[in-house]
Amino acid sequence: MKKRSTPQPTKASKKTPPDFSFWEDSRVHAVLGIALTLISLYILFSLIGFFFTGGIDQSLIDKGLRKVIANPTVTAENPAGKLGAWISDLLINRWFGVASFFFCYILLLCGIRIAGKKIARFPRKLFFSLLFIVWISLFLGYASDLADSWFGLQKSYLYPGGAHGYFVAQWLNALTGKIGTFFILILSFSILLFFGFERAFYRCVAFFKRLFPKKRELPLQPEEPAEKLPENEEAPTVEAAEIFEFPDFGEEPEEIAPPEILDPDFGDIPVSLTDFTFSPENRENTEGFEEEEFPEDEVELTINREKNEETVSTNLQPEGDYDPTLDLSHYKYPPLELLEEHSSGHPKVTQEELAENKDKIVETLRNYKIEIVKIKATIGPTVTLYEIIPAPGVKISRIKNLEDDIALSLAALGIRIIAPIPGAGTIGIEVPNQNPEVVSMRGIIASKKFQESKYALPVALGRTISNETFTFDLAKMPHLLVAGATGQGKSVGLNAIITSLLYKKHPAQLKFVMVDPKKVELSIYSIIEKHFLAKLPEEEEAIITETSKVINTLNSLCIEMDSRYDLLKEAQVRNIKEYNDKFVKRSLNPQKGHKYLPYIVVIVDEFADLIMTAGKEVEQPIARIAQLARAVGIHMIIATQRPSTNIITGVIKANFPARIAFKVASMIDSRTILDSPGANQLIGRGDMLMSVGSEMTRVQCAFVDTPEIETITTFIAGQQSYPSAFALPEYVPEGEGGSISEADLGVKDPLFEEAARLVVNMQQGSTSSIQRRFSIGYNRAGRIIDQLEVAGIVGPFEGSKARQVLVSDEYSLESILRSLND
């Protein structure tokens, strides 16, 4: 057989190698360098924007990148758009956290290097940059986990160390403990610092050498003799203090201002030595004085007060503590008989229903080859909690994924699986009762837990799954966000909060600011205006319904907040409780502007309508109050039926850690309110979830009907009240200050000149300072400030800042006052 000859490849059939000469072109390098630089800047802007818009864009990220990009109608708040929102969430939350900013630095270095610019130690810088990304991610994950375990911080959309830092820190904590993880972080940082930056090692060594220098023994030297003075010079003498000599009593004294002393019997009242007159009976206690120094016709020991033209009693301090409720000493709290009993007080779940649900749950789980060791039931007013303990080796995620199958087998809506129950070691399945029970507000108010509570602002909201009364202190929340779809119990929840406060607080201790854009929800409380409501001085209605008045009221609350902080600063206390305790103990002088401060609870219904009509004008003062007003006793409750990201923005969510969610339509709305699903699985009619920090509690809200509220408010309104509602500080919007120039200096306030001297001496002019110093109303203090402005003593209104003082000394002020009097 002839061997087949293999065909020899021809020249035409030979494959030519790819031509890479295109990449050697300097123009390509320049374009690639510019592209990488621009990409690094784009990522930088997206990462920065994530800190301001990450919470708002979270609902978009949950939908997935493909669905979001394919839909042109969906927009993101991130300055880098939808792609930037997704990239920033990927880098920060799912990768390396805040350390992802180093990626911008790495891309920038690569762009500069590819463009042809030489970079010293380029590979070394890339390597150590990647190591620092890993270390910073681990450190922030460890720190955030430590802070959460120590302080119980609220979960946020932002993970500082990313998923990498969080899970690696958890693994190391379990392996070596938190102390071991801390030592590992210190060791790894030292390695990075010393090997990545050689100079840092030698600088640290030099620093410790300077910090702990070697001690050298010095030779002992004899003491030098004291320097001798020349014989003709005298030693220096210390000048004697200047002595004030009183003139003789018999002569006409010159007009010399006597020194003032502080007498212990009269507190801080300055007493002049010439104010005392002596009686002959006191001569035995005045040894050293000649007999003729005591005029015989003066027979009483008095203190002359020319300014006040009155005799001051030696007993200046009243006995006992100050009681703020004495203004309305006959006020009676609403009795329980005003509330109706809507519930029987016993659960309506039968043993047959419990057994049937238990068997269906066990059967459904067995169909998916999931065995249960134990199951028990806790009956609540509307929901029964079935706690199961799965057999060893069963993954919790398998049970969690069967949520819809269990709901199908039980033929029930609102099934919610808690896997696992925190602190219980079990898995919870919440199943709605076939015959839910109404939780009555009367039973909640009458409960021992509420009646014996010592909270500053006690709120009784309803009953938990374990049928316990759910109460909390609004002062510690410190603000509350309430959201839910229409008709799911949001308004009833607000009424329950207000009712519980009315049952526990005296009108002197609590005031409400109510904002009701719908004009019908909170109008029922208008008749207790003079007892519990606060409003602007010249407003006719205490229930605020107009958007412009809402803006003015919120800004007025900011002024009230700043004024209260000034009082706390002068009293040297940190919060309203310490301030009021100090005032009750009579440690603060009312003549210096101090007064008892009631708590102020601001209730805003239909917050979505305000945001749509006023936007930032409403959001900014609310954010400022939410950030700062906790210490001075101003607390906010905001309610909305539209829990969307453009209504409940990141700024609002960041400052309202306590949130109540009634039933909502979708999981996105639930995440917007609670940062987690669950509110979409509620059954409605008062069924709600309350989230405080990392804890979430399911509560059946207590029911209080409109006739009951009318009965309570009528009972309060029929009692003795204050002359008017609690007056908030006046707020002058920008552009409306033209009427100030029309202040009449022809009819000056009697305190005009004293206020002018006070302002010039303090070099600070504000309405609140004049109000406190002279113990006058805010309106009168405002008119004095207007007159001072017209007189050229203070500058124009500058918002919340103090007015500028235009007169520098008292001599210039006296010349202005003389010219005004001429």
Side-chain angles (χ1 to χ4, degrees), residues 260-279:
E260 293 182 345
I261 62 172
L262 293 179
D263 191 279
D265 294 333
F266 295 94
D268 295 336
I269 300 177
V271 181
S272 176
L273 290 180
T274 58
D275 288 340
F276 284 102
T277 56
F278 298 88
S279 62

Side-chain angles (χ1 to χ4, degrees), residues 2 13 47 61 63 71 76 113 133 155 225 233-234 329 358 466 487 580 616 626 655 726:
K2 292 184 178 180
S13 64
L47 293 177
I61 304 301
K63 294 179 180 178
N71 190 351
R113 184 69 178 85
I133 289 175
K155 292 183 179 179
E233 291 188 12
E234 297 180 357
S329 58
K358 169 190 160 185
S466 58
N580 283 339
K616 294 294 182 181
N655 294 293
F726 184 85

Side-chain angles (χ1 to χ4, degrees), residues 795-808:
F797 177 74
E798 298 181 7
S800 59
K801 297 181 181 178
R803 294 176 185 247
Q804 183 181 2
V805 181
L806 305 178
V807 180
S808 58

Side-chain angles (χ1 to χ4, degrees), residues 218-226:
L218 298 177
L220 294 176
Q221 297 180 357
E223 294 184 0
E224 297 183 359

Side-chain angles (χ1 to χ4, degrees), residues 32-156:
L32 287 177
I34 293 173
L36 286 177
T37 303
L38 294 177
I39 290 173
S40 69
L41 293 176
Y42 178 80
I43 295 176
L44 176 64
F45 284 117
S46 67
L47 293 177
I48 295 174
F50 180 81
F51 289 95
F52 302 96
T53 63
I56 303 175
D57 294 334
Q58 193 64 41
S59 59
L60 301 179
I61 304 301
D62 295 337
K63 294 179 180 178
L65 179 64
R66 184 179 300 175
K67 292 182 179 180
V68 172
I69 291 181
N71 190 351
T73 61
V74 177
T75 59
E77 296 294 330
N78 193 292
K82 294 184 285 189
L83 182 61
W86 184 83
I87 291 175
S88 60
D89 181 78
L90 174 69
L91 293 177
I92 292 181
N93 276 346
R94 286 177 275 177
W95 281 10
F96 296 100
V98 179
S100 300
F101 278 95
F102 272 92
F103 286 117
C104 302
Y105 171 72
I106 292 173
L107 289 176
L108 183 63
L109 285 181
C110 293
I112 296 174
R113 184 69 178 85
I114 292 176
K117 181 70 175 179
K118 291 185 178 180
I119 299 177
R121 300 181 178 181
F122 175 69
R124 182 187 181 90
K125 290 182 177 179
L126 289 184
F127 176 72
F128 278 98
S129 296
L130 293 174
L131 290 182
F132 266 108
I133 289 175
V134 175
W135 187 88
I136 293 174
S137 172
L138 177 59
F139 171 75
L140 293 177
Y142 170 78
S144 60
D145 180 66
L146 198 65
D148 182 62
S149 62
W150 283 1
F151 306 107
L153 299 179
Q154 176 191 359
K155 292 183 179 179
S156 172

